[in-house]
Amino acid sequence: MINNIQELRERLFTSGIVKNEQELQGCTSDEIAYIESKYGVLPRTYREILGLLGYSAGKLVSRSEFEFYFDQIIKMNEWQREAILESIAEGEECTTLPENAFCIVARNGDPCFIIADGQDDCSVYMLHENDTIEEIHTSVMDWIEVYVEDAEYWIRRGVR
């Protein structure tokens, strides 16, 4: 179980997800501040994750399969808000996310988000195509551990 950012970093290297320091590239404090200026104060755990692997994390996730890294999540958050505003303008019923919701990953268009309210850690939610919201993890560390376990599985099988 991953309990903190140091354990995450060690696990990325010991599992072969990250082979060297060059494969691990985090966001700057200015980039994290940019996110927080638009969406609210991120939970400490997620700020630390962005600071460790906001741009690159070896074989953790594929850029073609996930919107996971800084540039991708910025675009996903902007797109998500535009899509909701468009739906509302067209008179469609849709689930609106809280103002301080921040999408941290999306796969196949299904975004997962947190509430940026400055807590130490928080739950992770998924917005499904049918506009229902589901809590999928009780903490950001639990969320990232699923990605680590998945990457380890595929590395052991020689796929990544």
Side-chain angles (χ1 to χ4, degrees):
M1 177 158 202
I2 300 171
N3 295 306
N4 57 53
I5 202 71
Q6 292 81 15
E7 289 178 14
L8 172 59
R9 181 180 172 76
E10 288 174 25
R11 181 110 166 249
L12 292 171
F13 279 98
T14 59
S15 65
I17 294 171
V18 175
K19 294 185 186 211
N20 57 52
E21 291 292 332
Q22 290 71 35
E23 288 188 340
L24 197 60
Q25 184 181 359
C27 291
T28 66
S29 56
D30 286 345
E31 290 165 329
I32 294 169
Y34 168 77
I35 292 171
E36 292 183 327
S37 72
K38 289 186 78 167
Y39 302 102
V41 179
L42 297 169
R44 178 193 53 79
T45 51
Y46 186 65
R47 279 195 316 268
E48 290 176 348
I49 288 169
L50 279 176
L52 179 65
L53 50 85
Y55 279 99
S56 175
K59 298 177 181 177
L60 183 64
V61 296
S62 165
R63 278 185 163 270
S64 62
E65 185 176 358
F66 294 93
E67 284 88 19
F68 181 88
Y69 295 111
F70 177 79
D71 58 320
Q72 296 172 304
I73 59 174
I74 293 300
K75 287 177 188 170
M76 175 55 71
N77 277 281
E78 290 170 2
W79 176 85
Q80 193 69 36
R81 282 178 168 56
E82 287 173 16
I84 288 171
L85 290 174
E86 229 174 75
S87 294
I88 291 170
E90 292 174 4
E92 295 176 20
E93 285 191 34
C94 67
T95 300
T96 58
L97 298 177
E99 191 72 24
N100 59 347
F102 183 72
C103 176
I104 59 175
V105 69
R107 182 177 189 196
N108 301 323
D110 290 332
C112 296
F113 65 93
I114 57 175
I115 303 300
D117 61 3
Q119 294 186 30
D120 190 49
D121 200 358
C122 67
S123 295
V124 177
Y125 303 91
M126 177 177 271
L127 176 61
H128 295 284
E129 282 183 24
N130 64 2
D131 281 345
T132 59
I133 296 174
E134 172 189 11
E135 180 183 40
I136 58 170
H137 298 285
T138 57
S139 80
V140 172
M141 284 305 198
D142 289 346
W143 165 78
I144 197 66
E145 185 161 16
V146 169
Y147 286 88
V148 171
E149 289 173 352
D150 189 55
E152 289 170 337
Y153 173 85
W154 292 112
I155 288 169
R156 282 192 305 272
R157 277 148 188 77
V159 177
R160 284 193 191 166

